[in-house]
Amino acid sequence: MTSSDKPENAVPAPVEPAETAGPTGVAAKDWASAAADPQYRAAVVDLLGALAYGELAAFERLAEDAKLAPTLADKAELAKMASAEFHHFERLRNRLTEIGQEPTAAMEPFVAALDGFHRQTAPSDWLEGLVKAYVGDSIASDFYREVAARLDSDTRELVLAVLDDTGHAGFAVEKVRAAIDADPRVGGRLALWARRLMGEALSQSQRVVADRDALSTMLVGGVADGFDLAEVGRMFTRITEAHTKRMAALGLAA
């Protein structure tokens, strides 16, 4: 049995927000009721805009990664994942239109930050691309799941739906662990790469939130039963712990 065959190397479940007694405040409302608050509405438009551009960028990145794939089967698998990401983008774009927002305008504030992140973390090969998609996307998804717990029911359902794994997690773990089994020296390089991605992803998330007043106000408790400062700390602890588990699943040291 190789290390990648062991049960403990299964892909870890996404981080779940801390449990509460049940939805309260805005989280217990639907969109029609919650959107009466203009600040909350603005925060949701920001959130959907950031998610939409993130999904569009993920589609583009997976299409590029497919060019580095070593086999036709791998190319086809990545193409399927890219298609799923584009479908997520379409759902978010359609939702923005439904609530009276122009999708391009909603996405525009997040283009520079997300494009900057991808420029700074451009993978040099196939394996780095897989690790980036698995680690970077998972950190972002964990963050958005935390936020989703405090959204109105309609927006929460949409956000959680577009955060569903497209199959990349299991695919990345399988390919990366196989590469490490074949050449253990690969593990050290990829571990350093993953740690860099962790730092860049968290910094990028913080920049995005800091630049958008409505979104930052929602996160720290001004709107929608947001986090207090202590809960922000606990949230990032949960995200970091989930990252550590994912690194272990890849066969890498956190």
Side-chain angles (χ1 to χ4, degrees):
M1 177 182 288
T2 67
S3 61
S4 58
D5 293 324
K6 296 178 183 178
E8 63 267 24
N9 293 321
V11 178
V15 64
E16 296 295 339
E19 293 185 4
T20 64
T24 59
V26 172
K29 299 180 180 179
D30 61 11
W31 168 252
S33 300
D37 181 340
Q39 192 171 28
Y40 175 76
R41 182 185 182 90
V44 168
V45 170
D46 275 351
L47 183 66
L48 296 183
L51 273 169
Y53 189 68
E55 294 291 344
L56 184 58
F59 161 74
E60 293 177 322
R61 190 183 67 245
L62 285 169
E64 285 295 312
D65 288 350
K67 297 177 183 178
L68 301 173
T71 70
L72 284 175
D74 291 335
K75 287 180 184 291
E77 190 66 24
L78 285 183
K80 182 175 72 174
M81 294 174 197
S83 176
E85 298 287 10
F86 191 76
H87 177 61
H88 289 167
F89 161 73
E90 289 181 314
R91 291 190 64 178
L92 290 160
R93 181 189 62 188
N94 292 343
R95 180 58 177 162
L96 283 163
T97 300
E98 288 172 5
I99 63 174
Q101 301 296 316
E102 206 287 308
T104 302
M107 291 188 288
E108 188 63 38
F110 307 100
V111 171
L114 288 169
D115 284 358
F117 168 74
H118 289 304
R119 280 194 302 270
Q120 293 165 8
T121 58
S124 62
D125 61 20
W126 161 249
L127 291 174
E128 286 190 1
L130 289 178
V131 171
K132 178 181 176 180
Y134 180 50
V135 171
D137 289 356
S138 295
I139 293 169
S141 293
D142 287 346
F143 173 75
Y144 287 126
R145 284 189 181 91
E146 293 275 359
V147 175
R150 290 160 169 80
L151 299 174
D152 67 271
S153 58
D154 297 318
T155 304
R156 180 170 63 248
E157 181 180 0
L158 172 62
V159 169
L160 293 177
V162 301
L163 293 177
D164 277 351
D165 179 33
T166 61
H168 209 128
F171 182 77
V173 168
E174 176 189 353
K175 298 298 180 180
V176 171
R177 292 200 68 95
I180 294 172
D181 286 345
D183 181 2
R185 293 173 299 178
V186 170
R189 173 172 67 87
L190 293 180
L192 288 173
W193 172 242
R195 285 196 286 273
R196 179 186 167 194
L197 290 169
M198 174 69 171
E200 292 286 354
L202 289 178
S203 295
Q204 183 261 337
S205 298
Q206 291 166 353
R207 285 195 299 270
V208 167
V209 171
D211 287 344
R212 305 299 294 176
D213 289 342
L215 195 55
S216 60
T217 300
M218 181 174 75
L219 291 180
V220 296
V223 184
D225 306 319
F227 303 94
D228 59 26
L229 292 180
E231 180 57 24
V232 169
R234 289 190 289 269
M235 176 187 73
F236 280 108
T237 295
R238 290 192 293 271
I239 292 173
T240 301
E241 289 172 348
H243 169 72
T244 301
K245 292 178 182 178
R246 292 190 182 100
M247 290 285 281
L250 287 170
L252 304 175

